[in-house]
Amino acid sequence: MNVCQRLGIVGGSLSFAVVSQCFSVEAATLSQTYTVNLDSQPLNSSTNVVLPKFNSLLGTLLKAYVTVKSTVNNSVSITPLTGDFTGTAATNANIAVNIRLLKTDPNLTLSVLASPPETKIASGGTGSVSGFGSGSVSKSYDLPQFLSALTGCDGDTFTAGVATTGLTQILGSPARGSFGGKVSADIAASVTYEYEPVPEPMTVAGTFVAAGMGLLWKKRRTKR
């Protein structure tokens, strides 16, 4: 078990995607995306994820996006106390991501409702209902103080806390009953960095050559 595992910190996977590229010499805007996929987490639990900061050697950070996606699954058994039961058991879950270094920014919160289809359970019997719900939420950051906090050297990271809370409620008639089962949430947290990269050395050299040729042409034209 490594140090990160002992601290309850989960690592992530890296992918690259081109958002847009201008075909001029001066600028090109690219995007890097880092995603951490969490296994199924029980509701009312918390964990940490570690994501890399933007490497300032790559260029100038223009905007950062933080996204959380989740699928909530519930499997609930119901035993009616009196009479036949007609209804379901809905789970309302909230997934909150707290980026600690952005102290002035509130949590990024996602609400997901998992509502199984209606079922009928005879008096004295026990039945089960299963359902799922999914959603995603994203927030962008472009203020200088946020971009500065998210920028660092190669290998620098920041930690985000992920907390899942929620409850399951029996909806039906009669409402009185006992229930048990499993409710969990699969979570993916990601950060995307949109930046203007440092020009390639050949591009810089080409720019200077072009500028020099332009000055030479202008000088010759002046002499004529």
Side-chain angles (χ1 to χ4, degrees):
M1 179 177 292
N2 57 36
V3 176
C4 289
Q5 288 174 324
R6 287 199 297 268
L7 293 174
I9 296 174
V10 184
S13 60
L14 165 64
S15 63
F16 291 90
V18 176
V19 172
S20 63
Q21 184 166 349
C22 302
F23 291 97
S24 62
V25 174
E26 295 81 11
T29 301
L30 304 176
S31 176
Q32 285 182 312
T33 301
Y34 301 86
T35 301
V36 174
N37 291 301
L38 297 176
D39 292 331
S40 185
Q41 301 285 319
L43 287 188
N44 303 310
S45 65
S46 61
T47 188
N48 291 329
V49 299
V50 173
L51 291 163
K53 288 187 175 182
F54 172 72
N55 182 3
S56 60
L57 294 179
L58 296 176
T60 302
L61 182 60
L62 304 176
K63 186 176 288 188
Y65 305 86
V66 176
T67 302
V68 57
K69 299 180 180 180
S70 179
T71 298
V72 175
N73 299 278
N74 66 8
S75 179
V76 180
S77 61
I78 301 173
T79 303
L81 295 182
T82 57
D84 295 342
F85 173 81
T86 300
T88 188
T91 298
N92 190 359
N94 291 288
I95 296 90
V97 176
N98 176 26
I99 304 175
R100 299 181 180 99
L101 81 167
L102 303 181
K103 297 179 180 179
T104 60
D105 192 66
N107 290 349
L108 182 66
T109 304
L110 169 66
S111 296
V112 179
L113 177 65
S115 183
E118 185 178 278
T119 188
K120 295 183 178 180
I121 304 172
S123 177
T126 297
S128 62
V129 293
S130 299
F132 73 94
S134 63
S136 66
V137 65
S138 182
K139 184 179 292 187
S140 63
Y141 302 90
D142 56 7
L143 295 180
Q145 62 266 33
F146 292 148
L147 299 182
S148 176
L150 293 171
T151 299
C153 299
D154 186 21
D156 287 351
T157 61
F158 68 90
T159 302
V162 180
T164 62
T165 59
L167 56 86
T168 300
Q169 184 178 13
I170 294 180
L171 305 174
S173 177
R176 295 181 63 212
S178 62
F179 67 91
K182 295 181 179 180
V183 182
S184 61
D186 298 303
I187 307 164
S190 65
V191 58
T192 300
Y193 293 125
E194 185 178 317
Y195 68 100
E196 185 174 315
V198 176
E200 295 288 342
M202 291 302 295
T203 302
V204 175
T207 302
F208 281 116
V209 169
M213 293 294 289
L215 289 174
L216 181 61
W217 178 82
K218 184 177 181 180
K219 186 176 180 180
R220 288 184 176 180
R221 185 177 180 185
T222 302
K223 286 182 179 180
R224 291 178 180 176

